[in-house]
Amino acid sequence: MSELVISGLRGGPDGKEILRGLDLVVRSGEVHALMGPNGSGKSTLSHVLMGRPGYEVTGGTVTLDGVDLLALPTWKRAQAGLFLGLQYPTEVPGVSLLDAMEASLRARAGGSSLPVPTMDEVAAMLLAEAERIGFDERFLIRPLNVGLSGGEKKRNETLQLGVLTPKFAVLDEIDSGLDVDALKAVSRRVMQSAQTDGLGVLAITHYNRLLDELRPDVVHVFVKGAIVASGGPELALELETTGYEPYARLAPDEPTPIGSGRPLLDPFADPFA
Amino acid sequence: MAVRQRAAQRVEAGALPTSAVEVWRYSRIDSLDLGRFGQPMSAIPVALPPTPGSPAAHIVVRNGSVESIDISTAAAAQGLQVRSAAAVDEDLDGPGADGAQDADAFIDMALALSHDAVVVDVPANAVIDGTIVVVNILSASDALVATRLIVRLGVNSEAEVLERVVGADVASLLLPMAQVSLGDGARLRFVTVQELGARSWQLGYQHLVTGRDATLRSMNVALGGDYARVRTDAVITGTGGFNELLAVYFGEGTQMHDFRTLQNHIAPRTTSELLFKGAVEDMAQSVYSGLIRIGKDARGTVANQTNRNLLLSPGASAESVPNLEIENNDVKCSHASAVGPVDDDLRYYLELRGVPPEDAERLIVIGFFQDVLDRSPVKGLAEQLGQAVAAKFARRSA
Ligand SMILES: Nc1ncnc2c1ncn2[C@@H]1O[C@H](COP(=O)(O)OP(=O)(O)OP(=O)(O)O)[C@@H](O)[C@H]1O
Ligand SMILES: [Mg+2]
């Protein structure tokens, strides 16, 4: 049983504090859905968790089985077992999926007593995964994501998840751009990982469609950089009718901009005044 | 001897260029001391580069002298002729009318000093199987060496030429000149791989002439040398002519690779596609300066020019200067240039998958060159060159 513990997490890109004190615990085999309005900071959360260049943590902690993830460089967070499927997967010219996965698995073996897999073994793993989610095998040797359609890129992210077998996966709108069949294949694949390999999932999504197959244990409503409500799967359905409007007032206050009109707190003032 | 004599007179009369002249801007010409170089004396042994399976011909030129010419019986039967010009003592035309075109003191010098030339003739309609390999060796100390390679393809003929410029660790200057002409409908694949010693200088010149409906696919690879320059004038003289001009260069230490290109479109409906990609690490420098010139009769022409450079160390630098000169409005032209470090987003994506940053960067750098290497006109080189690039990257000082 593994545990990803996020507490009081604050931070964002270029010194902007988009996350405003986020608390969340995900355990092995659990599926959490994170839903929130555009621009509320969901993708920011994913990048702060992974340590994207230019993103800063201004407060809080993130641990995976007690290991302080925030102290590690991105690649070691990944090797520690945290996976991020990007909302907009990056095109990497000239680097094949095979090369990337081989380099990752080699690095993993280097840090343990695992045998280093051969190129052929990695290729076989990729082929097996591609088959499971109906991903065309010619993409395996083509440059990563280059020229792929939106939906193909999302399948590619899922394929990598299947090969790397992490402990936790943050999936940022893995459903966007997928056709009906692909959506089924992808969400089933993730659900299988959760059920049989104990993958813990944090699925960021705007749509209930995904959650038909990828059945969440918990649904979180995320507004202005923090979770403001959590509930069972019914919460996702409720959101369809209510929208996020009722949750807006629950959001944490805007941080005080430096030099704004609001007076600074006076430490000697009467606290009961 | 008239051509060479006139060139020699121009060399004596004229002064050497300085970096104040636009085409020599950013170059290291100001630190050239010609007085340091003499005649090539004794040659230091140099390992020959690997040759492809069954070459059509194998020619070795050592310190400016043609040492051996081997032609396969199959290629000879297909009509291939290769000879050394000194052996027949003929007066070969210089580039352009008389070598005088767009004067460059080093073109004149190469003409005047090259006492031997390799002449490759492919008769009309001949299709030569296999690669014509020319190994050009610079292995004499403190020497000034000029070489000439002349490749002439007859109407509707086809051939593949690979020139490998290699050397010992000598502080010498090589002036390699290539004059290439394609008759109507001819197809030539032409690759030059430069792996000179780290103290050697090169001032190279390529004059490429493409005739009607002819197709030239060329690539320059620059890995060696201290200061290594190649000027390429690629002119399309016949309607429907097509040029692909590629280059890969990678500088380390204090190397400088310097490319000047001219895509000169004279005839209508001609096409040229240029893609030059380079990397610099340590304190290395590179220059790319290119001009697309579209003549007044070159209607319906397409000309593209792309130069991309990767800066792999804080001390490395690259200059990229694209230019257009258009005298006809019915054309499609584009140029793009970029100089910058490895993209953070690419490294981040690979790191997200658990790839350590050094491995990520190596994959990205090799990947950066992959599209050019994949388009290499001479097949079977890509893997060798990919390894050379990886080795360069591995030597980078942190
Ligand atoms: N590099 C950046 N610099 C400044 N602001 C940024 C940067 N990246 C994102 N933001 C801002 O941070 C806020 C949160 O963006 P984020 O991408 O995390 O939203 P999201 O919840 O994922 O939205 P969506 O549902 O549309 O994907 C937005 O207002 C966005 O404009
Ligand atoms: Mg987002």
Side-chain angles (χ1 to χ4, degrees):
Chain A
M1 171 67 77
S2 286
E3 215 177 35
L4 177 69
V5 181
I6 305 170
S7 55
L9 189 61
R10 300 178 159 271
D14 305 325
K16 280 179 69 177
E17 199 172 75
I18 305 282
L19 295 184
R20 306 223 211 102
L22 181 112
D23 298 300
L24 180 65
V25 178
V26 183
R27 295 184 186 82
S28 292
E30 291 180 355
V31 176
H32 293 237
L34 189 74
M35 307 183 83
N38 293 134
S40 55
K42 304 180 296 299
S43 295
T44 302
L45 166 64
S46 73
H47 294 308
V48 168
L49 285 175
M50 297 309 299
R52 181 178 180 165
Y55 283 63
E56 224 181 296
V57 174
T58 47
T61 58
V62 179
T63 60
L64 199 164
D65 293 339
V67 174
D68 176 10
L69 285 188
L70 299 181
L72 301 176
T74 298
W75 74 278
K76 285 198 172 164
R77 297 184 197 193
Q79 293 287 1
L82 185 57
F83 179 92
L84 168 59
L86 289 177
Q87 182 175 2
Y88 304 108
T90 312
E91 300 193 0
V92 191
V95 179
S96 70
L97 182 59
L98 183 60
D99 284 338
M101 293 295 100
E102 193 269 342
S104 175
L105 295 171
R106 184 161 32 81
R108 180 191 296 184
S112 72
S113 55
L114 293 166
V116 181
T118 65
M119 265 301 185
D120 287 347
E121 285 165 350
V122 178
M125 290 165 77
L126 291 180
L127 280 173
E129 270 305 313
E131 171 115 39
R132 283 179 84 167
I133 56 164
F135 189 64
D136 199 319
E137 60 182 76
R138 75 197 148 93
F139 295 133
L140 306 183
I141 50 161
R142 283 204 350 200
L144 259 173
N145 293 323
V146 175
L148 263 56
S149 76
E152 287 165 348
K153 285 179 184 169
K154 292 309 176 72
R155 282 202 223 207
N156 198 355
E157 297 289 278
T158 313
L159 186 147
Q160 296 177 53
L161 170 68
V163 169
L164 296 174
T165 59
K167 295 186 178 125
F168 293 94
V170 178
L171 304 175
D172 195 355
E173 300 195 23
I174 194 79
D175 50 341
S176 72
L178 290 179
D179 64 46
V180 208
D181 298 327
L183 180 63
K184 266 211 181 93
V186 162
S187 43
R188 270 190 199 152
R189 179 67 189 90
V190 177
M191 198 65 203
Q192 278 165 8
S193 287
Q195 288 173 338
T196 59
D197 309 327
L199 175 73
V201 179
L202 179 63
I204 297 169
T205 185
H206 289 297
Y207 303 106
N208 272 302
R209 260 182 346 160
L210 174 73
L211 305 177
D212 289 344
E213 292 283 346
L214 184 60
R215 292 181 301 278
D217 302 293
V218 199
V219 174
H220 305 282
V221 182
F222 182 91
V223 180
K224 291 190 185 163
I227 290 173
V228 296
S230 300
E234 69 286 349
L235 183 52
L237 292 172
E238 230 174 271
L239 282 170
E240 297 239 303
T241 46
T242 63
Y244 294 109
E245 175 53 36
Y247 297 93
R249 61 185 172 77
L250 301 174
D253 287 338
E254 297 281 340
T256 313
I258 292 165
S260 76
R262 225 157 107 185
L264 292 169
L265 282 182
D266 177 0
F268 302 107
D270 178 1
F272 301 107
Chain B
M1 287 293 113
V3 172
R4 290 182 53 203
Q5 267 164 12
R6 282 201 297 278
Q9 282 160 10
R10 284 196 301 273
V11 172
E12 273 173 26
L16 288 182
T18 70
S19 59
V21 182
E22 180 57 32
V23 295
W24 290 93
R25 213 170 141 206
Y26 307 116
S27 79
R28 289 187 184 165
I29 194 66
D30 295 341
S31 62
L32 175 66
D33 174 12
L34 272 182
R36 273 191 37 221
F37 306 106
Q39 295 268 358
M41 304 300 274
S42 62
I44 297 167
V46 171
L48 293 188
T51 46
S54 46
H58 193 260
I59 300 114
V60 177
V61 181
R62 201 181 297 267
N63 298 312
S65 299
V66 178
E67 189 175 272
S68 66
I69 296 176
D70 293 303
I71 306 177
S72 77
T73 37
Q78 285 162 342
L80 176 65
Q81 294 167 31
V82 184
R83 58 206 163 80
S84 146
V88 293
D89 196 21
E90 69 182 292
D91 192 12
L92 293 162
D93 279 343
D98 175 23
Q101 78 140 33
D102 224 0
D104 179 327
F106 294 99
I107 299 175
D108 286 337
M109 207 179 287
L111 273 175
L113 295 179
S114 56
H115 59 273
D116 226 353
V118 173
V119 184
V120 175
D121 276 304
V122 180
N125 303 311
V127 175
I128 309 298
D129 292 323
T131 312
I132 300 160
V133 181
V134 181
V135 184
N136 192 352
I137 305 168
L138 178 68
S139 61
S141 300
D142 306 305
L144 173 52
V145 172
T147 61
R148 256 174 109 183
L149 170 63
I150 296 172
V151 178
R152 299 185 288 219
L153 265 70
V155 173
N156 290 324
S157 67
E158 179 173 337
E160 176 171 297
V161 176
L162 170 63
E163 185 187 21
R164 301 204 71 140
V165 181
V166 296
D169 179 23
V170 291
S172 295
L173 170 60
L174 181 67
L175 306 176
M177 178 185 292
Q179 289 171 251
V180 173
S181 61
L182 284 74
D184 295 351
R187 299 165 301 279
L188 175 66
R189 299 178 295 279
F190 179 51
V191 174
T192 300
V193 180
Q194 183 271 105
E195 296 167 290
L196 285 169
R199 291 187 298 148
S200 301
W201 269 46
Q202 169 185 281
L203 299 168
Y205 179 60
Q206 299 179 321
H207 189 247
L208 314 173
V209 183
T210 305
R212 186 162 61 84
D213 294 326
T215 299
L216 168 67
R217 296 188 186 278
S218 89
M219 178 159 90
N220 271 290
V221 178
L223 299 169
D226 171 27
Y227 171 66
R229 173 181 167 108
V230 181
R231 170 179 159 185
T232 302
D233 291 353
V235 52
I236 308 183
T237 54
T239 305
F242 176 94
N243 278 354
E244 178 178 55
L245 307 167
L246 305 172
V248 166
Y249 47 102
F250 197 140
E252 64 188 309
T254 56
Q255 283 185 304
M256 183 182 222
H257 293 131
D258 180 345
F259 289 96
R260 315 281 163 152
T261 65
L262 171 66
Q263 293 159 268
N264 194 0
H265 293 255
I266 292 175
R269 296 201 313 281
T270 51
T271 305
S272 69
E273 300 286 350
L274 179 145
L275 176 60
F276 275 41
K277 280 187 161 185
V280 275
E281 64 186 16
D282 306 329
M283 302 294 286
Q285 297 170 296
S286 72
V287 183
Y288 171 77
S289 173
L291 173 64
I292 295 177
R293 184 186 288 155
I294 312 280
K296 56 186 188 315
D297 299 326
R299 66 187 172 281
T301 279
V302 176
N304 297 308
Q305 184 191 77
T306 304
N307 173 233
R308 298 196 188 285
N309 299 279
L310 269 185
L311 304 177
L312 298 176
S313 304
S317 64
E319 300 292 340
S320 184
V321 190
N323 273 299
L324 282 174
E325 203 180 285
I326 301 180
E327 291 177 26
N328 189 303
N329 289 325
D330 175 25
V331 296
K332 282 203 189 83
C333 290
S334 77
H335 58 70
S337 84
V339 177
V342 168
D343 188 339
D344 270 348
D345 286 343
L346 302 186
R347 198 192 295 105
Y348 176 57
Y349 187 75
L350 292 178
E351 280 202 53
L352 279 181
R353 302 308 178 228
V355 179
E358 317 81 67
D359 288 344
E361 210 155 304
R362 179 177 47 81
L363 288 174
I364 293 165
V365 170
I366 296 168
F368 168 77
F369 288 114
Q370 200 61 53
D371 58 342
V372 192
L373 295 179
D374 285 346
R375 281 162 70 181
S376 169
V378 173
K379 298 301 161 203
L381 264 184
E383 195 174 334
Q384 221 180 93
L385 296 177
Q387 281 164 5
V389 164
K392 281 243 182 195
F393 184 70
R395 282 197 292 271
R396 178 175 62 150
S397 45

